[in-house]
Amino acid sequence: MDAKENLITSAQALLWERGYVGMSPKAIQQRAGAGQGSMYHHFSGKAALALAAIQRSAAEMQAQIDAELNFQGTALAQITAFLQRERDVLRGCRMGRLAQDPEIIALEELRQPVDEIFSGLQQRLIDVLDSGQANHEFLYVFETADLAAMIVSVLQGAYVVARAENSEVPFKRAMSGLLFTLGTLTKPAI
Amino acid sequence: MDAKENLITSAQALLWERGYVGMSPKAIQQRAGAGQGSMYHHFSGKAALALAAIQRSAAEMQAQIDAELNFQGTALAQITAFLQRERDVLRGCRMGRLAQDPEIIALEELRQPVDEIFSGLQQRLIDVLDSGQANHEFLYVFETADLAAMIVSVLQGAYVVARAENSEVPFKRAMSGLLFTLGTLTKPAI
DNA sequence: GTCTATAAAACGATAGAC
DNA sequence: GTCTATCGTTTTATAGAC
């Protein structure tokens, strides 16, 4: 087993569960099955290890997003598929979790990967919506950047509300509401 | 100055900024200008003080929501006014912040006030949307619970994305996108 | 009610042996 | 590379004087 790898995956899990503030070096080491010496040999400290873990998580998410929003089918079909993929709702979003952490937000280098995921996802959605506009899939001309920001926000907010209520129900409702409203943009009222 | 009051408002601020995990008794005391003895005289410990602070914050938010969604004007007008009120975007939502905290979610009594705020806000929005449906303000018949969950989620998620990008821009875009889509539900395509 | 003293454990890291 | 020992600080209290 590669201790350095174990430390990174361990930190990834703890950042997801407890955030930067709630993650201690000791907890990382125990979960990784590594000692103090090992951790401080591979990383200069908690911040450096967290950076490696965040970058890894960001890369994993980016790969998933790239695979999902792949420009096949209509804009609505792509976005629907993206929104309906299986998610561990009550666990929340790895990146959204970090956006709430005061230390992540305070340290530019830790916030940057989080920023890039959200900026990149929005741009991807803008591209999809723009192609939908070009193909006249929508009944309206709209600011695609606004719709993209709204879609990402529904997803992030639905995780938040689900955790608050300790239930997947509000998440599913928010997705249904979003898919309904997006649907009305493509077909006229009855 | 009432030390007990100072301790509660101090804990409210720290919960907002740093969450339960990131808030230490010492920090609460310093911000409140109170000593150890004072805090432990008024509260049995960190959890008890946090509960008082969360309940206070929840009550304040509930009062604000009640004042804002007050059944005057059309459903769209009420929701628009609610969404457009001034917000300290980069500070985020007090309650949404707590929903991400592992210790808040783990302790039923700490999560409950957070749950109630979100459940209550959704119910309020459902009532507003139902009255809009009854008055035939919309072009569509839809599941008002789904739309309510979506609206609350956009708001919560927009805070998250704004913090991730350290910018109010995505928040404003999400609001614009939401108001546009809600608008299309009330008037036909051109 | 508030103060100061005390304390066991955890935090975040360093040092040096192996 | 990993281990153990050590370190100063912070955490989350408790105890008892005032």
Side-chain angles (χ1 to χ4, degrees):
Chain A
M1 297 293 175
D2 186 344
K4 188 172 178 180
E5 275 304 303
N6 286 345
L7 286 163
I8 292 176
T9 54
S10 169
Q12 282 183 279
L14 283 165
L15 282 170
W16 197 344
E17 288 171 22
R18 305 190 44 85
Y20 184 82
V21 162
M23 171 184 79
S24 76
K26 191 181 175 185
I28 300 170
Q29 294 152 24
Q30 286 179 341
R31 192 187 277 241
Q36 301 253 78
S38 182
M39 180 186 135
Y40 284 102
H41 169 75
H42 291 294
F43 301 96
S44 66
K46 178 179 168 177
L49 175 47
L51 178 58
I54 292 170
Q55 286 172 337
R56 176 74 61 87
S57 291
E60 290 170 0
M61 270 192 83
Q62 191 59 57
Q64 193 173 18
I65 290 167
D66 289 346
E68 284 167 353
L69 291 173
N70 53 5
F71 299 103
Q72 289 175 2
T74 64
L76 183 60
Q78 282 184 78
I79 291 169
T80 301
F82 172 68
L83 292 174
Q84 290 186 329
R85 83 125 184 276
E86 205 170 303
R87 293 167 194 276
D88 195 343
V89 173
L90 293 184
R91 209 173 168 197
C93 171
R94 291 191 273 189
M95 291 295 134
R97 174 69 189 82
L98 298 179
Q100 297 282 14
D101 195 300
E103 316 260 316
I104 300 281
I105 296 308
L107 297 171
E108 255 305 295
E109 59 176 7
L110 293 184
R111 186 183 62 78
Q112 192 194 324
V114 182
D115 185 337
E116 286 172 4
I117 282 292
F118 285 109
S119 303
L121 175 55
Q122 281 177 90
Q123 187 56 55
R124 202 50 117 80
L125 288 169
I126 288 171
D127 293 343
V128 169
L129 291 167
D130 279 343
S131 86
Q133 287 282 3
N135 293 334
H136 305 94
E137 295 172 17
F138 297 103
L139 298 172
Y140 305 83
V141 175
F142 48 76
E143 204 65 58
T144 51
D146 292 354
L147 260 287
M150 181 188 88
I151 292 166
V152 174
S153 294
V154 174
L155 195 50
Q156 286 301 312
Y159 279 123
V160 172
V161 179
R163 280 179 65 93
E165 299 191 18
N166 193 31
S167 162
E168 297 200 5
V169 170
F171 184 94
K172 288 175 176 164
R173 284 193 179 136
M175 290 306 127
S176 295
L178 176 56
L179 290 174
F180 165 76
T181 55
L182 291 178
T184 65
L185 297 179
T186 66
K187 44 178 196 284
I190 318 143
Chain B
M1 298 295 175
D2 186 343
K4 188 173 179 180
E5 275 304 303
N6 286 345
L7 285 163
I8 291 176
T9 54
S10 169
Q12 283 184 279
L14 282 165
L15 282 171
W16 198 342
E17 288 171 23
R18 305 189 44 85
Y20 184 82
V21 163
M23 171 184 79
S24 76
K26 191 182 176 187
I28 300 170
Q29 293 152 24
Q30 286 179 341
R31 193 187 277 240
Q36 301 255 79
S38 183
M39 180 184 135
Y40 285 102
H41 169 74
H42 292 293
F43 301 97
S44 65
K46 178 178 167 176
L49 175 46
L51 178 59
I54 292 171
Q55 286 173 337
R56 176 73 61 87
S57 292
E60 289 169 1
M61 270 193 81
Q62 191 58 58
Q64 193 173 17
I65 289 167
D66 289 345
E68 285 168 353
L69 291 174
N70 52 6
F71 300 103
Q72 289 176 3
T74 64
L76 184 60
Q78 281 184 79
I79 291 170
T80 300
F82 171 68
L83 292 174
Q84 289 186 330
R85 81 124 184 275
E86 204 171 302
R87 293 167 193 277
D88 195 343
V89 173
L90 293 184
R91 209 173 167 199
C93 170
R94 292 192 272 190
M95 290 295 133
R97 171 71 189 81
L98 297 179
Q100 297 284 14
D101 195 299
E103 316 261 316
I104 300 281
I105 296 309
L107 297 171
E108 255 304 295
E109 59 176 5
L110 293 183
R111 186 182 63 77
Q112 192 195 323
V114 182
D115 185 337
E116 286 172 3
I117 282 292
F118 286 109
S119 303
L121 174 54
Q122 281 177 89
Q123 188 55 56
R124 204 48 118 80
L125 288 170
I126 288 171
D127 293 343
V128 169
L129 291 168
D130 279 343
S131 85
Q133 288 282 2
N135 294 335
H136 305 96
E137 294 173 18
F138 297 104
L139 298 173
Y140 305 82
V141 174
F142 48 76
E143 205 64 58
T144 52
D146 292 354
L147 260 287
M150 182 188 87
I151 292 167
V152 174
S153 295
V154 174
L155 194 50
Q156 286 302 311
Y159 280 123
V160 172
V161 180
R163 280 179 65 93
E165 299 190 18
N166 194 30
S167 162
E168 297 199 5
V169 170
F171 184 94
K172 288 174 176 163
R173 284 193 181 138
M175 289 307 128
S176 296
L178 176 56
L179 290 174
F180 165 75
T181 54
L182 291 179
T184 65
L185 296 179
T186 65
K187 45 179 195 283
I190 318 144

